Coordinates of all heavy atoms in Angstrom, one line a residue:
W29 N 111.0 243.4 189.7 CA 112.1 242.4 189.8 C 113.4 243.1 189.4 O 113.4 243.9 188.5 CB 111.8 241.1 189.1 CG 110.7 240.3 189.6 CD1 109.9 240.6 190.7 CD2 110.1 239.2 189.0 NE1 108.9 239.7 190.8 CE2 109.0 238.8 189.7 CE3 110.4 238.5 187.9 CZ2 108.3 237.7 189.5 CZ3 109.6 237.3 187.5 CH2 108.6 237.0 188.3
A65 N 118.1 236.7 181.8 CA 117.8 237.2 183.1 C 117.0 238.5 183.1 O 116.1 238.8 183.8 CB 119.1 237.4 184.0
C92 N 84.5 249.7 167.5 CA 84.2 249.2 166.2 C 82.8 249.0 166.1 O 82.1 249.2 165.0 CB 85.1 248.0 165.9 SG 85.0 247.4 164.2
G103 N 92.9 254.0 169.4 CA 93.2 253.0 170.5 C 94.3 252.0 170.1 O 95.1 251.6 170.8

Side-chain angles (χ1 to χ4, degrees):
W29 293 355
C92 188

